[in-house]
Amino acid sequence: DIQMTQSPSSLSASVGDRVTITCRASQSIARYLNWYQQKPGKAPKLLIYVASSLQSGVPSRFSGSGSGTEFTLTVSSLQPEDFATYYCQQTYSTSLTFGGGTKVEIK
Amino acid sequence: QAQLVQSGAEVKKPGASVKVSCKVSGYTLTDLSIHWVRQAPGKGLEWMGGFDPEDGETIYAQKFQGRVTMTEDTSTDTVYMELSSLKSEDTAVFYCATLRGNSDFGHWFDSWGQGTLVTVSS
């Protein structure tokens, strides 16, 4: 299986901060990389698909970039509702895998 | 987007099986590829398997091979996930989700059910 490694596993940030989360794949996955946001007790929500496409209805402060083995999710100006856990997911292989998650907490 | 509504919480004893349902609305099941994702308490997301639209087969994560069965009832637009030989480590929230996209552009999960908590305890 393709291993997905996210960093950091957690971070503390303030409202208005620019936040970047990194996801690395154990082999090249082209651009077959998605990002999800999950809040406590809720199902994950799709933010970004195929590395950089913004899902309909998701604020433009979220952006994704990367290809091959290294990808980033950036929140340009963190808002109170953005405090959550973020997961990357590869769909290059039919055996889909997620990263371990990055918890974004309030500083 | 499709709406997915899952069955309610379950409590099972070790060794038993559990069958979780996921009812689709807004689309017919034949137009969708439904997958299942597990999340143990305080842990991350783990893909279990689902319908592969490229070859028309249901595929399972190796970890669950032989222990999980995913079926569908097109007459009621409902998908089922049955997990057998339950252990305490299977205590988790199980989600169904719709897989979108194609092999050229890529795939993603764009709609999710609300989750079903399965507790395995003696």
Side-chain angles (χ1 to χ4, degrees):
Chain A
D1 286 358
I2 298 174
Q3 305 304 315
M4 306 301 294
T5 304
Q6 286 183 234
S7 60
S9 56
S10 66
L11 64 90
S12 295
S14 300
V15 173
D17 283 353
R18 181 182 181 89
V19 168
T20 298
I21 298 169
T22 297
C23 180
R24 290 187 174 87
S26 60
Q27 67 179 72
S28 177
I29 57 170
R31 292 176 58 81
Y32 296 111
L33 190 284
N34 308 314
W35 290 97
Y36 300 86
Q37 176 194 67
Q38 187 180 33
K39 296 181 179 180
K42 300 295 186 182
K45 172 189 172 183
L46 178 67
L47 298 177
I48 302 284
Y49 58 100
V50 291
S52 61
S53 295
L54 191 67
Q55 170 68 347
S56 175
V58 173
S60 58
R61 63 180 179 272
F62 290 93
S63 64
S65 65
S67 66
T69 61
E70 188 155 336
F71 301 83
T72 58
L73 172 71
T74 299
V75 187
S76 61
S77 178
L78 204 63
Q79 297 303 299
E81 60 269 28
D82 301 336
F83 292 94
T85 301
Y86 295 84
Y87 294 93
C88 62
Q89 175 206 32
Q90 67 79 21
T91 60
Y92 179 85
S93 163
T94 53
S95 182
L96 310 182
T97 48
F98 290 90
T102 296
K103 187 174 184 178
V104 177
E105 299 176 299
I106 302 172
K107 182 183 284 185
Chain B
Q1 287 183 335
Q3 286 76 51
L4 308 178
V5 178
Q6 299 181 221
S7 49
E10 303 259 14
V11 178
K12 295 292 182 181
K13 293 195 181 303
S17 297
V18 68
K19 193 170 187 177
V20 179
S21 68
C22 172
K23 182 167 175 59
V24 174
S25 61
Y27 284 80
T28 58
L29 198 51
T30 52
D31 293 332
L32 299 174
S33 169
I34 303 294
H35 286 238
W36 292 87
V37 174
R38 182 172 87 165
Q39 187 170 38
K43 302 297 185 183
L45 304 171
E46 182 175 34
W47 174 76
M48 299 180 69
F51 184 76
D52 183 348
E54 308 301 327
D55 62 16
E57 301 284 333
T58 298
I59 53 176
Y60 301 118
Q62 190 168 12
K63 177 176 182 176
F64 299 100
Q65 286 272 4
R67 212 161 62 93
V68 68
T69 305
M70 297 172 187
T71 56
E72 61 181 39
D73 181 346
T74 54
S75 68
T76 60
D77 288 325
T78 303
V79 178
Y80 299 90
M81 185 283 299
E82 184 170 21
L83 187 63
S84 62
S85 303
L86 290 170
K87 299 165 275 193
S88 58
E89 308 91 89
D90 291 317
T91 294
V93 175
F94 293 80
Y95 294 101
C96 58
T98 57
L99 185 74
R100 295 293 201 176
N102 57 61
S103 58
D104 291 329
F105 189 59
H107 293 96
W108 55 90
F109 292 142
D110 75 334
S111 296
W112 295 69
Q114 82 276 20
T116 297
L117 174 63
V118 175
T119 302
V120 184
S121 173
S122 54

